[in-house]
């Protein structure tokens, strides 16, 4: 299902590829390793103190909320499921690179992982439900409210602008 949604937009024909299915399987395995690895470390922090976040934590939080915004728009307005899955892959990569150094960082990582699972649920429902239950959540992932992006989390302190002089 993930492969079919990633390989082509719904209005175009799909060319089947066993290697594409393997790629989707690798993606899901990476999500599984990320989530279970996070839980094995015993990270329990859930409250994000935005005033005390490191630069890396701010970057991951920004990426998380950019992904919420993009996937929501892709599903609701554009019906572009392939770009939604690509955005989830980018969030997975950013979360894998992030190292939690304290409870504030761990809370940001937890937010990124649970958001990733929630956004992945329409594409891989059984997988997301199983991971959600491992996080000890009391209800089904499908009873959860769809995540909303926080505009404050999208703000950047610095912006790099390239200037070319002729």
């Amino acid at each position: 299902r993930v492969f079919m949604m990633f390989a082509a937009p719904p209005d175009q024909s799909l060319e089947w590829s066993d290697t594409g299915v393997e790629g989707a399987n690798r993606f899901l395995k990476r999500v599984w390793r990320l989530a279970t690895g996070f839980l094995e470390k015993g990270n329990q922090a859930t409250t994000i103190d935005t005033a005390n976040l490191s630069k890396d934590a701010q970057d991951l939080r920004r990426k998380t909320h950019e992904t919420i915004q993009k996937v929501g728009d892709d599903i609701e307005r554009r019906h572009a499921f392939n770009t939604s899955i690509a955005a989830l892959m980018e969030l997975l990569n950013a979360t894998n690179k992030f190292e939690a150094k304290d409870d504030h960082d761990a809370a940001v990582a937890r937010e990124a992982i649970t958001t990733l699972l929630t956004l992945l649920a329409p594409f891989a429902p059984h997988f997301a439900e199983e991971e959600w239950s491992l996080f000890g959540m009391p209800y089904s992932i499908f009873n959860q409210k769809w995540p909303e992006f926080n505009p404050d989390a999208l703000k950047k302190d610095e912006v790099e602008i390239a200037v070319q002089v002729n």
Side-chain angles (χ1 to χ4, degrees), residues 1 4-5 10 19 25 36 43 52 55 59 62 68 70-71 77 81 94 100 102 105-106 117 124 134 154 160 164:
R1 183 174 168 145
M4 290 190 304
M5 299 241 185
T19 57
N25 186 38
T36 55
N43 295 317
N52 294 320
K55 183 185 180 324
D59 291 344
R62 182 178 312 106
I68 293 169
K70 174 152 183 45
V71 171
R77 188 178 62 84
F81 306 128
D102 57 22
D105 288 356
L117 294 175
L134 292 177
L154 299 178
E160 189 172 314
Q164 182 176 0

Side-chain angles (χ1 to χ4, degrees), residues 9-165:
D11 58 341
Q12 294 181 3
S13 61
L14 168 71
E15 186 173 324
W16 189 261
S17 162
D18 289 340
T19 57
V21 174
E22 291 169 10
N25 186 38
R26 280 192 309 274
F27 165 64
L28 293 175
K29 284 181 178 179
R30 288 182 63 214
V31 172
W32 184 271
R33 282 191 304 269
L34 172 70
T36 55
F38 179 82
L39 292 171
E40 287 171 359
K41 291 178 184 174
N43 295 317
Q44 297 298 323
T46 57
T47 305
I48 298 175
D49 182 7
T50 56
N52 294 320
L53 295 180
S54 66
K55 183 185 180 324
D56 289 341
Q58 288 174 350
D59 291 344
L60 179 59
R61 188 154 192 266
R62 182 178 312 106
K63 184 65 176 172
T64 301
H65 287 269
E66 287 172 351
T67 304
I68 293 169
Q69 183 180 29
K70 174 152 183 45
V71 171
D73 183 55
D74 284 350
I75 290 173
E76 291 177 27
R77 188 178 62 84
R78 298 180 54 227
H79 304 288
F81 306 128
N82 55 337
T83 57
S84 295
I85 295 171
L88 295 175
M89 290 176 176
E90 290 175 12
L91 179 59
L92 172 65
N93 291 336
T95 309
N96 269 329
K97 290 178 186 174
F98 180 73
E99 283 190 41
K101 295 176 179 65
D102 57 22
D103 283 346
H104 300 297
D105 288 356
V108 171
R110 176 181 282 276
E111 177 190 39
I113 294 167
T114 56
T115 299
L116 177 63
L117 294 175
T118 306
L119 298 176
L120 184 61
F123 307 108
H126 298 92
F127 177 87
E129 182 69 33
E130 179 66 20
E131 281 286 348
W132 191 256
S133 68
L134 292 177
F135 269 79
M137 301 300 188
Y139 302 105
S140 168
I141 195 167
F142 297 102
N143 290 337
Q144 305 306 311
K145 185 177 172 219
W146 188 257
E148 293 181 15
F149 73 93
N150 182 344
D152 293 334
L154 299 178
K155 294 179 183 174
K156 296 182 179 182
D157 293 335
E158 296 178 8
V159 177
E160 189 172 314
I161 301 173
V163 178
Q164 182 176 0
V165 178

